Structure formats: structure tokens, C-alpha cells
Amino acid sequence: MERKSIHNIAKYLLAFVTCFAVLCGSIYDSNFNAEAKVTYIKSLKIAAGNSYRLTIKGKKGKIKWSSTKKSIAAVNKKGNVTAKKKGTAKVKGKLGGKTYTTTVKVYGNSGNNVRLTDTSTGSGGSSTISGGVDDSLAKVGQAIANRDTDITVTVNDAISASAYSQKLFSATGGYVNDYDYLSMKSYSYSATSNGSQVVIRYTINYRITKSYNDTSLNKARSIASGFGGSDANKIKKIHDYLVQHVDYIDGGYTAYNALIDHGAVCEGYALAFYEMCKFAGVDCRVVTGTAYGSRGEGNHAWNVVKSGGTWYNMDVTWDDTTDSSKYYLKSTSAFPSHYADSRSKSFMSGLNIA
């Protein structure tokens, strides 16, 4: 018998679980400053009542922190910034004879307008599947789309369970789309094989129940169906809808949080954008990776979307949190500070990206 321990999807998707590891309501601005090899956050947006830990990377030594307006944004000796009330303060970190300044903008807590639904996974359905490799892979992919939590598949070909699973979850295979893949929290499997046939049993935990997922998909379909015209017009409508209706709130990792709760992190924005594009008939993918700094200083998620035969980069989260369109339909050269991980690179290499 072949057994496989739990695969935590966060191994590949830490971008979405932490999404900058900010506490509820805190938001990065796009301005990440670099002086030689020293990196630090130049500006930070954060909701009153929340906190975020600043740091300065690239230079050793003890950092001495201070705030110009402690009543607005206080900072302790470890660099933990606490947002007190609406306003702007400058938090300074002195290190190696230099002072690095972060402008902290504290805004009113939007929590009164945002609720985060308890999306505990609960118990999903089960399915039994059999067939050759390709045929059964397509069926397992559909079972995952249906949010089945217990899937048993009999593969009538000589293949190992690990190789089969790699095919199933490959970013280029097309058996499990980005939305469904990123909706999984973890999975495990066990397998038995007689050489010419393998029986694999998958146990999958999802971030959201099937009921919540259906509600989210119906919402995305309802909104996107009202957007007509060219792909460019549909993309603009979807982008603007999310910017206008979603707040960046830590803990909202799903499209449901974005579309129904109106609060999400980058994962929620990216998944909602993906699903709305799908229902509008626009090709789209979700990209996972890191952002900021020469090597990427924080985990992040964004999209690539196809318009006029060409794929473009799109970061709805950053457009929302910076009140701009700096990250709207951008070529790679005009899309700084975003670094795709190996999974996303595997499919991006086959796209005609501007």
C-alpha cells in the first residue's frame, strides 16, 4: 500500500493564506523603497484599531523606532505599529546612522460594513470514479469542482499515485482550474496498486462549503452576465466592480468573502476576478508569487487576463488599496515588484503576455 501524508496547499499558496501577514484591515501601499540592498515599506495604510510590524531588511543592527504622532500611530521597540485614530503619522527607523521613514495613513475601520462569514469546510459529498488516466483525471477534476471531500478513483493504467496526483494538480493540465485548486485548503491520499491498476482515495478539505461556494458562483455569474461588449470593456467593468465593492480585510481568502462579505485579501480579489472573467467569457488565470523588493518581500496573488489576443498583468488588490490604475492591463516591463512562483511560471511561459 502506498500512503501519502497531508499536502497542505499553503506549501504552494502561502501567498493567499498570509497575503502579507497583515492583521485585519491593514493594507500595503505600492510604494516599497529600496536604497542599495536595504528594503523597507515607504508607506502603509492601516485601519484604526489594527497593527502591523515594520522591518528594515538588508542591513544588520538594532533599529530604533519612533513616531511623529503617537496619538495616530504608535510604534514599540520591535517595530509594531498600532493604529490609534484616523490621520497620518511618520514612523522612523534609525539603523546604521541612517533614518528610514514610513508614512502611515490610518483610516476609519471599515469593519462595520464588512463581515467575514465562517467558512468552515464541513462535510462534502463523495464520489467513486474509474477509467484510464486522462478520462479519470477529468472526472476527479469535476468532483473537486463539486466540492466532494471523499473521492475514490480506480485508474486502469500503470501509474503511481504520486505521478497521478502531479498530473491532477498541474497548473498546465487543465483538470483542476485555478479557482478550484486555490479553494482547497489541504488534501491527503492513500493508494493500493497491483502493477496494472491503482486505486487512490483522496480526502480534501476546502476553504469554503459547497453551499457558500454555490452562492459565490451565482453572484459572480449574475454580475458578470450584465457586462457586455468587447473583452476590454468586460475586464474594465469587472475590475471596477471589485474596486468599488470590496475592502481589503485580512481573513477573507475566498471569492465568497470578496463578493458576499465585501472584504478579502489578495486571494479573494484574484479568485473573484477569475470567476467573473470566466462567466463573462474572458480568459483569465490566477498568479501566485511574491511582491516588493528585488526578490519579493511578501507573498501575493494577482491575475493575468487576455484582451485583444494578448495577455496582460492585472492586480486588482493594489489598484484598490492605492486608489489608482497603476496595475491595470500592464505589460511585464510595466508591472514592477511582482514575482511569480514556479507553479505560475509553468503556465505563464505558454501565454503571449505583453
Side-chain angles (χ1 to χ4, degrees), residues 20 28-42 55-58 289-300 302 318 327 335-340:
F20 307 136
Y28 270 121
D29 197 346
S30 61
N31 300 312
F32 191 91
N33 201 38
E35 295 182 8
K37 295 182 179 180
V38 178
T39 57
Y40 65 100
I41 297 171
K42 188 176 179 181
T55 188
I56 300 172
K57 297 183 178 182
T290 57
Y292 300 108
S294 61
R295 294 187 300 273
E297 300 291 342
N299 297 303
H300 194 38
W302 61 97
W318 281 15
Y327 307 96
F335 197 67
S337 304
H338 290 69
Y339 308 88

Side-chain angles (χ1 to χ4, degrees), residues 215-238:
T215 298
S216 177
L217 295 181
N218 288 336
K219 180 72 171 181
R221 183 185 294 106
S222 174
I223 299 168
S225 64
F227 299 150
S230 65
D231 285 351
N233 183 68
K234 294 174 183 177
I235 292 168
K236 182 67 164 60
K237 293 290 187 180
I238 294 169

Side-chain angles (χ1 to χ4, degrees), residues 168-189:
L168 175 64
F169 297 117
S170 167
T172 58
Y175 299 110
V176 178
N177 67 31
D178 295 340
Y179 178 87
D180 292 331
Y181 179 76
L182 302 179
S183 294
M184 295 191 301
K185 191 173 184 179
S186 66
Y187 73 91
S188 63
Y189 65 78

Side-chain angles (χ1 to χ4, degrees), residues 15 19-20 22 26-33 41 43 45 239 242-243 246-248 264-267 269-270 289-293 296-303 313-328 330 334-339:
C19 218
F20 307 136
V22 292
S26 60
I27 301 175
Y28 270 121
D29 197 346
S30 61
N31 300 312
F32 191 91
N33 201 38
I41 297 171
S43 63
K45 295 180 181 179
H239 169 277
L242 293 175
V243 167
V246 185
D247 286 331
Y248 187 106
V265 293
C266 55
E267 178 185 9
Y269 279 88
T290 57
Y292 300 108
E297 300 291 342
N299 297 303
H300 194 38
W302 61 97
N303 299 94
N313 296 284
M314 171 81 76
D315 192 334
V316 184
T317 308
W318 281 15
D319 272 352
D320 187 16
T321 58
T322 60
D323 297 322
S324 72
S325 57
K326 294 178 182 178
Y327 307 96
Y328 180 82
K330 294 296 182 179
F335 197 67
S337 304
H338 290 69
Y339 308 88

